[in-house]
Amino acid sequence: IGRIAGHVGSHKFDLNILNQYAWAQDRLMSTFKLGDVMAGKKLVFFDCDGVLLDSNGVKLAAVDHALAHYPQALRDRCKESFRLNFGRARHWHFEAFERLIAPRGPAARDFVAASIARYEDYLRSHYRCSAVVAGAPQLLALLQEQGVTCFVVSGGKEEEITEALGVSGIDRYMARIIGSPTAKIAAINALLEQHDCAAAQAVFLGDAIADAEAAIACKVPFIFVSGHALVDRSTLSARWPAGHWAVEV
């Protein structure tokens, strides 16, 4: 990843400035206005947690709640796995937790289903109350004014995301909200085809390795939203392919 060109906001979308990095080439690039970078796009894909909603902490707390009857050391290992693989479907996560915990006896028979039920029970009480990421409504309003079509493409459960964005009021800016069980790569490719949009005419804003992987697989430029991310830029850039366009905001 290249060096920083000035200040990168750590807590909000800054509509006036975006620092661009040559992630693979390790050279300093120019500074652009975020609105200008996105205005030329036909489609914009947003992840939800950590990008539109300040909800990453809620998801981590839900994991802790789901696994509360296991020792703290095991819960911490599971939460570290969750952090590094944030953005994947919950069934994927709890199957990974099952391998880490190796439950025995009656709990082993329905570990994944029972754990997901407790996880979702916590989210029903807390997720819809997640605050909107500062600057996100202004950015969405700007894109709407410029005729850019916006979508949510998330690994979270679609019904939960739809409800939470409805509570916040920013669902009105979205042409469609897509979540689990639809995979991110499948969703992005389908939307590109439906809207006759070349990959270069779109952009994906995400905060997780899973988001970056989806952008790379679909050949869509990627904006890493770092303010609430559970991983840092170096985690993504370590595996970044040469020539794929990416910036951080």
Side-chain angles (χ1 to χ4, degrees):
I1 295 178
R3 292 171 287 128
I4 297 177
H7 174 70
V8 178
S10 61
H11 65 287
K12 67 184 182 68
F13 289 110
D14 187 335
L15 299 185
N16 296 315
I17 195 164
L18 174 70
N19 293 293
Q20 180 167 341
Y21 300 88
W23 283 32
Q25 291 82 5
D26 191 31
R27 59 189 176 86
L28 186 64
M29 298 295 285
S30 303
T31 301
F32 296 88
K33 290 183 179 179
L34 178 55
D36 290 345
V37 170
M38 308 205 20
K41 301 299 180 181
K42 185 175 180 179
L43 306 180
V44 176
F45 308 117
F46 288 87
D47 177 45
C48 182
D49 298 321
V51 176
L52 297 174
L53 297 179
D54 183 6
S55 49
N56 289 350
V58 175
K59 293 288 182 75
L60 279 169
V63 170
D64 211 42
H65 175 82
L67 305 176
H69 50 297
Y70 290 102
Q72 184 67 53
L74 284 177
R75 299 204 308 274
D76 288 345
R77 288 181 65 194
C78 290
K79 285 190 290 184
E80 179 65 5
S81 171
F82 188 79
R83 183 183 70 80
L84 291 173
N85 294 285
F86 198 77
R88 303 191 190 280
R90 63 196 56 173
H91 202 275
W92 187 99
H93 284 294
F94 281 94
E95 285 183 340
F97 300 163
E98 184 176 34
R99 293 190 293 272
L100 288 171
I101 293 174
R104 298 178 181 179
R109 288 196 295 271
D110 63 348
F111 173 86
V112 172
S115 298
I116 288 176
R118 289 189 293 271
Y119 176 85
E120 292 181 346
D121 182 64
Y122 185 92
L123 292 182
R124 272 190 292 273
S125 301
H126 299 85
Y127 185 67
R128 67 195 305 272
C129 303
S130 301
V132 176
V133 169
Q138 294 88 341
L139 175 59
L140 290 167
L142 175 64
L143 293 173
Q144 186 179 72
E145 290 172 6
Q146 295 174 339
V148 180
T149 305
C150 296
F151 301 89
V152 171
V153 178
S154 173
K157 198 171 184 178
E158 190 169 307
E159 303 96 288
E160 293 169 355
I161 296 167
T162 301
E163 180 186 16
L165 294 181
V167 170
S168 70
I170 59 176
D171 61 329
R172 67 182 182 274
Y173 296 111
M174 300 301 170
R176 188 176 171 191
I177 296 170
I178 303 176
S180 181
T182 304
K184 292 179 185 180
I185 294 172
I188 292 171
N189 281 332
L191 290 169
L192 291 173
E193 183 176 356
Q194 289 168 16
H195 292 267
D196 192 26
C197 179
Q201 292 179 290
V203 66
F204 185 16
L205 285 83
D207 69 332
I209 293 172
D211 300 328
E213 289 175 346
I216 292 167
C218 298
K219 298 179 172 57
V220 170
F222 183 64
I223 295 178
F224 176 49
V225 183
S226 60
H228 299 283
L230 298 178
V231 295
D232 59 27
R233 181 161 40 103
S234 62
T235 306
L236 275 69
S237 63
R239 64 188 74 188
W240 203 258
H244 191 91
W245 189 93
V247 300
E248 178 185 3
V249 63

